[in-house]
Short mmCIF file of all heavy atoms in Angstrom, two decimals:
data_model
loop_
_atom_site.label_atom_id
_atom_site.label_comp_id
_atom_site.label_asym_id
_atom_site.label_seq_id
_atom_site.Cartn_x
_atom_site.Cartn_y
_atom_site.Cartn_z
N THR A 145 -148.57 -102.82 168.07
CA THR A 145 -147.66 -103.78 167.30
C THR A 145 -147.28 -103.10 166.03
O THR A 145 -146.50 -103.71 165.23
CB THR A 145 -148.27 -105.15 167.11
OG1 THR A 145 -149.51 -104.90 166.31
CG2 THR A 145 -148.67 -105.76 168.45
N ARG A 146 -147.95 -101.91 165.71
CA ARG A 146 -147.64 -101.38 164.32
C ARG A 146 -146.89 -100.02 164.37
O ARG A 146 -147.09 -99.31 165.18
CB ARG A 146 -148.92 -101.24 163.62
CG ARG A 146 -149.84 -102.47 163.26
CD ARG A 146 -151.35 -102.16 163.23
NE ARG A 146 -152.03 -103.36 162.68
CZ ARG A 146 -152.32 -104.41 163.52
NH1 ARG A 146 -151.96 -104.43 164.71
NH2 ARG A 146 -152.92 -105.39 162.95
N PHE A 147 -146.09 -99.75 163.41
CA PHE A 147 -145.30 -98.42 163.36
C PHE A 147 -146.30 -97.54 162.57
O PHE A 147 -146.21 -97.06 161.56
CB PHE A 147 -144.06 -98.61 162.47
CG PHE A 147 -142.98 -99.23 163.24
CD1 PHE A 147 -142.59 -100.54 163.04
CD2 PHE A 147 -142.38 -98.51 164.30
CE1 PHE A 147 -141.54 -101.11 163.61
CE2 PHE A 147 -141.33 -99.08 164.95
CZ PHE A 147 -140.83 -100.33 164.70
N CYS A 148 -147.46 -97.19 163.39
CA CYS A 148 -148.49 -96.49 162.75
C CYS A 148 -149.36 -95.89 163.97
O CYS A 148 -149.38 -96.49 165.05
CB CYS A 148 -149.36 -97.36 161.97
SG CYS A 148 -150.75 -96.54 161.18
N ASP A 149 -150.00 -94.74 163.81
CA ASP A 149 -150.81 -94.21 164.78
C ASP A 149 -152.16 -94.95 164.96
O ASP A 149 -152.92 -94.82 165.85
CB ASP A 149 -151.22 -92.79 164.54
CG ASP A 149 -152.10 -92.40 163.25
OD1 ASP A 149 -151.95 -93.28 162.34
OD2 ASP A 149 -152.77 -91.51 163.32
N GLY A 150 -152.44 -95.89 163.80
CA GLY A 150 -153.71 -96.55 163.84
C GLY A 150 -153.69 -97.85 163.01
O GLY A 150 -152.80 -98.65 163.23
N ARG A 151 -154.40 -97.95 161.87
CA ARG A 151 -154.43 -99.14 161.02
C ARG A 151 -153.55 -98.94 159.83
O ARG A 151 -153.30 -97.80 159.37
CB ARG A 151 -155.78 -99.34 160.56
CG ARG A 151 -156.76 -100.01 161.65
CD ARG A 151 -158.23 -99.81 161.36
NE ARG A 151 -158.60 -98.37 161.38
CZ ARG A 151 -159.87 -97.94 161.15
NH1 ARG A 151 -160.80 -98.82 160.71
NH2 ARG A 151 -160.15 -96.81 161.28
N LEU A 152 -153.02 -100.02 159.34
CA LEU A 152 -152.27 -100.10 158.11
C LEU A 152 -153.25 -100.56 156.95
O LEU A 152 -154.32 -100.99 157.10
CB LEU A 152 -151.15 -101.17 158.33
CG LEU A 152 -150.08 -100.81 159.34
CD1 LEU A 152 -149.25 -101.98 159.57
CD2 LEU A 152 -149.27 -99.64 158.98
N ILE A 153 -152.65 -100.35 155.72
CA ILE A 153 -153.42 -100.69 154.56
C ILE A 153 -153.88 -102.18 154.57
O ILE A 153 -155.00 -102.59 154.12
CB ILE A 153 -152.64 -100.40 153.27
CG1 ILE A 153 -153.53 -100.35 151.99
CG2 ILE A 153 -151.57 -101.39 152.97
CD1 ILE A 153 -154.68 -99.30 151.98
N VAL A 154 -153.03 -103.00 155.15
CA VAL A 154 -153.47 -104.36 155.20
C VAL A 154 -154.63 -104.61 156.06
O VAL A 154 -155.48 -105.48 155.93
CB VAL A 154 -152.30 -105.29 155.72
CG1 VAL A 154 -151.78 -104.98 157.01
CG2 VAL A 154 -152.72 -106.82 155.62
N ASP A 155 -154.74 -103.83 157.12
CA ASP A 155 -155.90 -103.87 158.03
C ASP A 155 -157.18 -103.39 157.38
O ASP A 155 -158.24 -104.01 157.50
CB ASP A 155 -155.58 -102.86 159.34
CG ASP A 155 -154.53 -103.51 160.13
OD1 ASP A 155 -154.39 -104.57 160.43
OD2 ASP A 155 -153.57 -102.50 160.48
N TYR A 156 -157.14 -102.33 156.56
CA TYR A 156 -158.24 -101.78 155.79
C TYR A 156 -158.66 -102.93 154.74
O TYR A 156 -159.75 -103.20 154.50
CB TYR A 156 -157.93 -100.54 155.09
CG TYR A 156 -157.84 -99.32 156.04
CD1 TYR A 156 -156.52 -98.74 156.34
CD2 TYR A 156 -158.96 -98.77 156.61
CE1 TYR A 156 -156.47 -97.66 157.20
CE2 TYR A 156 -158.80 -97.70 157.51
CZ TYR A 156 -157.61 -97.15 157.80
OH TYR A 156 -157.45 -96.03 158.68
N THR A 157 -157.66 -103.61 154.19
CA THR A 157 -158.02 -104.57 153.18
C THR A 157 -158.78 -105.71 153.90
O THR A 157 -159.77 -106.18 153.36
CB THR A 157 -156.78 -105.07 152.61
OG1 THR A 157 -156.03 -104.05 151.90
CG2 THR A 157 -157.03 -106.27 151.57
N ALA A 158 -158.22 -106.17 155.01
CA ALA A 158 -159.00 -107.25 155.67
C ALA A 158 -160.40 -106.76 156.09
O ALA A 158 -161.45 -107.54 155.89
CB ALA A 158 -158.20 -107.62 156.94
N GLN A 159 -160.62 -105.49 156.63
CA GLN A 159 -161.82 -105.07 157.06
C GLN A 159 -162.81 -104.98 155.74
O GLN A 159 -164.05 -105.11 156.01
CB GLN A 159 -161.76 -103.72 157.66
CG GLN A 159 -161.20 -103.78 159.03
CD GLN A 159 -161.09 -102.34 159.80
OE1 GLN A 159 -160.51 -101.49 159.28
NE2 GLN A 159 -162.00 -102.22 160.74
N ALA A 160 -162.31 -104.63 154.59
CA ALA A 160 -163.18 -104.48 153.46
C ALA A 160 -163.81 -105.80 153.15
O ALA A 160 -164.85 -105.79 152.49
CB ALA A 160 -162.31 -103.97 152.26
N PHE A 161 -163.30 -106.99 153.56
CA PHE A 161 -163.75 -108.19 153.29
C PHE A 161 -164.34 -108.99 154.60
O PHE A 161 -164.79 -110.10 154.46
CB PHE A 161 -162.83 -109.17 152.61
CG PHE A 161 -162.49 -108.68 151.28
CD1 PHE A 161 -161.34 -108.00 150.89
CD2 PHE A 161 -163.41 -109.11 150.32
CE1 PHE A 161 -161.08 -107.56 149.63
CE2 PHE A 161 -163.14 -108.72 148.88
CZ PHE A 161 -162.00 -108.01 148.57
N GLY A 162 -164.54 -108.33 155.69
CA GLY A 162 -164.88 -108.85 156.91
C GLY A 162 -163.90 -109.91 157.43
O GLY A 162 -164.41 -110.85 158.08
N ILE A 163 -162.75 -109.74 157.08
CA ILE A 163 -161.69 -110.76 157.50
C ILE A 163 -161.01 -110.19 158.81
O ILE A 163 -160.79 -108.94 158.92
CB ILE A 163 -160.59 -110.97 156.38
CG1 ILE A 163 -161.30 -111.68 155.23
CG2 ILE A 163 -159.45 -111.89 156.94
CD1 ILE A 163 -160.24 -111.94 154.10
N PRO A 164 -160.93 -111.00 159.78
CA PRO A 164 -160.16 -110.53 160.92
C PRO A 164 -158.75 -110.04 160.69
O PRO A 164 -158.20 -110.38 159.72
CB PRO A 164 -159.96 -111.83 161.95
CG PRO A 164 -161.17 -112.71 161.48
CD PRO A 164 -161.27 -112.44 159.99
N PHE A 165 -158.33 -109.08 161.54
CA PHE A 165 -157.03 -108.50 161.33
C PHE A 165 -156.03 -109.54 161.38
O PHE A 165 -156.10 -110.55 162.07
CB PHE A 165 -156.58 -107.49 162.45
CG PHE A 165 -157.52 -106.29 162.41
CD1 PHE A 165 -158.28 -105.99 163.52
CD2 PHE A 165 -157.54 -105.42 161.32
CE1 PHE A 165 -159.15 -104.81 163.54
CE2 PHE A 165 -158.33 -104.32 161.34
CZ PHE A 165 -159.13 -103.97 162.42
N LEU A 166 -154.93 -109.54 160.40
CA LEU A 166 -154.05 -110.66 160.24
C LEU A 166 -152.91 -110.67 161.38
O LEU A 166 -152.46 -109.55 161.79
CB LEU A 166 -153.18 -110.47 158.88
CG LEU A 166 -154.00 -110.27 157.68
CD1 LEU A 166 -153.24 -110.52 156.44
CD2 LEU A 166 -155.07 -111.48 157.54
N GLU A 167 -152.78 -111.80 161.98
CA GLU A 167 -151.80 -111.97 162.96
C GLU A 167 -150.38 -112.21 162.39
O GLU A 167 -150.17 -112.79 161.18
CB GLU A 167 -151.99 -113.25 163.74
CG GLU A 167 -153.39 -113.16 164.58
CD GLU A 167 -153.28 -111.99 165.68
OE1 GLU A 167 -152.41 -111.32 165.73
OE2 GLU A 167 -154.39 -111.89 166.29
N PRO A 168 -149.31 -111.70 163.04
CA PRO A 168 -147.91 -111.76 162.53
C PRO A 168 -147.51 -113.21 162.61
O PRO A 168 -147.63 -113.84 163.64
CB PRO A 168 -147.16 -110.68 163.33
CG PRO A 168 -147.91 -110.62 164.67
CD PRO A 168 -149.34 -110.78 164.17
N TYR A 169 -146.73 -113.59 161.66
CA TYR A 169 -146.13 -114.94 161.59
C TYR A 169 -145.31 -115.23 162.70
O TYR A 169 -145.21 -116.30 163.29
CB TYR A 169 -145.43 -115.17 160.25
CG TYR A 169 -144.51 -116.29 160.17
CD1 TYR A 169 -145.16 -117.61 159.98
CD2 TYR A 169 -143.19 -116.34 160.29
CE1 TYR A 169 -144.33 -118.76 159.80
CE2 TYR A 169 -142.37 -117.46 160.16
CZ TYR A 169 -143.07 -118.75 159.89
OH TYR A 169 -142.25 -119.88 159.76
N SER A 170 -144.37 -114.17 163.15
CA SER A 170 -143.52 -114.38 164.18
C SER A 170 -144.08 -114.52 165.61
O SER A 170 -143.27 -115.02 166.48
CB SER A 170 -142.59 -113.25 164.18
OG SER A 170 -141.79 -113.27 162.87
N ARG A 171 -145.23 -114.31 165.75
CA ARG A 171 -145.81 -114.35 167.07
C ARG A 171 -146.06 -115.83 167.49
O ARG A 171 -146.34 -116.18 168.68
CB ARG A 171 -147.19 -113.60 167.14
CG ARG A 171 -147.02 -112.13 167.20
CD ARG A 171 -146.31 -111.50 168.40
NE ARG A 171 -147.27 -111.71 169.55
CZ ARG A 171 -148.19 -110.77 169.91
NH1 ARG A 171 -148.12 -109.59 169.21
NH2 ARG A 171 -148.75 -110.97 170.93
N ARG A 172 -146.19 -116.67 166.58
CA ARG A 172 -146.44 -118.06 166.74
C ARG A 172 -147.54 -118.48 167.44
O ARG A 172 -147.49 -119.29 168.52
CB ARG A 172 -145.10 -118.80 167.36
CG ARG A 172 -143.81 -118.49 166.52
CD ARG A 172 -143.70 -119.29 165.21
NE ARG A 172 -142.51 -119.17 164.60
CZ ARG A 172 -142.18 -119.61 163.45
NH1 ARG A 172 -143.07 -120.44 162.78
NH2 ARG A 172 -141.02 -119.44 162.83
N PHE A 173 -148.77 -117.94 167.13
CA PHE A 173 -149.97 -118.20 167.80
C PHE A 173 -150.40 -119.52 167.54
O PHE A 173 -149.76 -120.30 166.60
CB PHE A 173 -151.08 -117.19 167.36
CG PHE A 173 -150.90 -115.84 167.92
CD1 PHE A 173 -150.56 -114.71 167.05
CD2 PHE A 173 -150.99 -115.47 169.27
CE1 PHE A 173 -150.43 -113.38 167.44
CE2 PHE A 173 -150.82 -114.18 169.69
CZ PHE A 173 -150.48 -113.24 168.83
N GLU A 174 -151.45 -120.08 168.12
CA GLU A 174 -152.08 -121.23 167.77
C GLU A 174 -152.57 -121.12 166.34
O GLU A 174 -152.93 -120.01 165.84
CB GLU A 174 -153.28 -121.55 168.71
CG GLU A 174 -152.95 -121.76 170.19
CD GLU A 174 -151.98 -123.09 170.35
OE1 GLU A 174 -152.21 -124.02 169.66
OE2 GLU A 174 -151.28 -123.09 171.28
N GLN A 175 -152.74 -122.26 165.64
CA GLN A 175 -153.06 -122.24 164.32
C GLN A 175 -154.50 -121.60 164.04
O GLN A 175 -154.73 -121.08 162.92
CB GLN A 175 -153.04 -123.75 163.60
CG GLN A 175 -151.71 -124.31 163.55
CD GLN A 175 -151.54 -125.31 162.54
OE1 GLN A 175 -152.46 -125.49 161.65
NE2 GLN A 175 -150.49 -125.94 162.34
N SER A 176 -155.27 -121.69 165.00
CA SER A 176 -156.60 -121.04 164.85
C SER A 176 -156.58 -119.59 164.62
O SER A 176 -157.33 -118.98 163.89
CB SER A 176 -157.52 -121.40 166.08
OG SER A 176 -156.83 -120.82 167.25
N ALA A 177 -155.42 -118.94 165.08
CA ALA A 177 -155.29 -117.56 164.82
C ALA A 177 -154.98 -117.09 163.39
O ALA A 177 -155.19 -115.98 162.92
CB ALA A 177 -154.18 -117.00 165.72
N TYR A 178 -154.55 -118.14 162.62
CA TYR A 178 -154.27 -118.02 161.24
C TYR A 178 -155.33 -118.61 160.22
O TYR A 178 -154.93 -118.84 159.10
CB TYR A 178 -152.85 -118.59 160.91
CG TYR A 178 -151.80 -117.98 161.87
CD1 TYR A 178 -151.18 -118.76 162.73
CD2 TYR A 178 -151.39 -116.66 161.73
CE1 TYR A 178 -150.20 -118.18 163.70
CE2 TYR A 178 -150.41 -116.11 162.48
CZ TYR A 178 -149.75 -116.85 163.40
OH TYR A 178 -148.82 -116.32 164.17
N SER A 179 -156.47 -118.62 160.73
CA SER A 179 -157.51 -119.28 159.93
C SER A 179 -157.99 -118.48 158.71
O SER A 179 -158.77 -119.00 157.90
CB SER A 179 -158.72 -119.77 160.85
OG SER A 179 -159.35 -118.62 161.48
N HIS A 180 -157.77 -117.20 158.95
CA HIS A 180 -158.20 -116.19 157.81
C HIS A 180 -157.10 -115.52 157.10
O HIS A 180 -157.30 -114.76 156.13
CB HIS A 180 -159.09 -115.17 158.34
CG HIS A 180 -160.47 -115.69 158.77
ND1 HIS A 180 -160.64 -116.16 160.10
CD2 HIS A 180 -161.64 -115.95 158.20
CE1 HIS A 180 -161.82 -116.61 160.23
NE2 HIS A 180 -162.52 -116.53 159.02
#
Side-chain angles (χ1 to χ4, degrees):
T145 60
R146 295 154 172 79
F147 284 105
C148 181
D149 69 326
R151 287 162 288 180
L152 300 169
I153 194 68
V154 64
D155 297 316
Y156 290 107
T157 302
Q159 284 185 296
F161 288 99
I163 294 175
F165 294 120
L166 304 191
E167 298 292 1
Y169 170 76
S170 296
R171 292 290 292 272
R172 305 291 184 179
F173 289 113
E174 295 293 329
Q175 291 209 7
S176 60
Y178 303 111
S179 60
H180 294 88

